[in-house]
Amino acid sequence: MSDVQSSSDLVPMLLRQPSSAWQAVRVATRVEAMGLLGTGARRERMLDLVGDAFEALDRAGIGRRDLASLHGAGPADVAAIVSRVAQALEASPHPDTEWEAVTARLGEEVVARLCHVSASSLTRYATGARSTPDPVALRLHHLALVVADLAGSYNDRGIRRWLDRPRAQLDGFSPASLLVDDWDPDDPGPRRVAALAAALAGAGAAA
């Protein structure tokens, strides 16, 4: 990493305490779902995933100051630092990689429908022929984070089914039915979808 500890030093620090380990793993799965790890094979070992994910964050310029502060941080500070990194990641849409990563899991039809874009627009955004408008980038990023939180419980087909099946926790609505038209991640429906997915990841009210 450019300004932070090497992953061989960083990962044991992140995973040593439950308070930071869970958050570090969640950050890593979100980095993967956002496509920041590239298109190579998925990491089988959690140690590799966490190490590569935090290096990818540094390369992408996300949470870089907090990542650098991990160097020399005491055990009591690591959890708070990782929490700030998680917040920075949540606030950092990255459509250049998210289009390919999310589409690979959900398929173009689902992503176009949930991001409220046409199939032709999705192709132009994904290939870089057109810049992704900010509102669309926010919807795509929200969807990537939901996918990340679901990935620990479902495979890709299961995630697609989860999105379209009615949920008692959503008053009988399906998650997809709350992601309609020009929705914004801060709208009540999308926030409920994110909270439900986060609960499956063990986050509960932390989403």
Side-chain angles (χ1 to χ4, degrees):
M1 304 174 78
S2 59
D3 295 318
V4 301
Q5 292 171 281
S6 68
S7 59
S8 60
D9 294 330
L10 180 64
V11 175
M13 177 196 303
L14 293 171
L15 300 182
R16 187 172 296 127
Q17 301 178 79
S19 57
S20 60
W22 177 85
Q23 189 72 277
V25 170
R26 191 176 186 221
V27 166
T29 58
R30 287 180 158 198
V31 167
E32 183 179 44
M34 290 170 61
L36 293 173
L37 293 179
T39 57
R42 294 181 184 176
R43 281 70 176 169
E44 298 297 329
R45 296 197 320 153
M46 189 56 65
L47 289 173
D48 295 333
L49 175 61
V50 172
D52 290 352
F54 275 73
E55 289 183 357
L57 284 172
D58 185 50
R59 290 194 300 271
I62 298 172
R64 182 171 286 167
R65 182 176 299 175
D66 286 311
L67 290 169
S69 71
L70 284 168
H71 181 70
D77 299 321
V78 172
I81 294 171
V82 176
S83 180
R84 292 197 298 272
V85 171
Q87 292 171 13
L89 180 63
E90 190 165 331
S92 299
H94 204 272
D96 289 350
T97 59
E98 286 177 321
W99 283 117
E100 181 177 1
V102 178
T103 300
R105 291 194 176 218
L106 301 183
E108 290 186 2
E109 185 278 327
V110 174
V111 176
R113 170 165 54 95
L114 296 182
C115 288
H116 195 55
V117 298
S118 67
S120 58
S121 291
L122 185 153
T123 298
R124 288 193 290 269
Y125 299 147
T127 59
R130 282 182 58 189
S131 296
T132 304
D134 286 347
V136 176
L138 287 172
R139 291 196 286 271
L140 175 65
H141 184 55
H142 189 83
L143 191 56
L145 300 182
V146 168
V147 167
D149 282 342
L150 294 174
S153 301
Y154 300 97
N155 61 17
D156 293 349
R157 178 176 294 182
I159 293 173
R160 292 192 293 270
R161 287 174 56 83
W162 186 91
L163 287 165
D164 281 320
R165 294 184 66 177
R167 301 284 156 184
Q169 302 94 325
L170 300 176
D171 301 322
F173 292 98
S174 70
S177 70
L178 299 180
L179 306 176
V180 295
D181 298 328
D182 294 324
W183 60 272
D184 184 276
D186 287 332
D187 291 341
R191 287 177 62 86
R192 292 181 69 189
V193 171
L196 183 56
L200 290 172

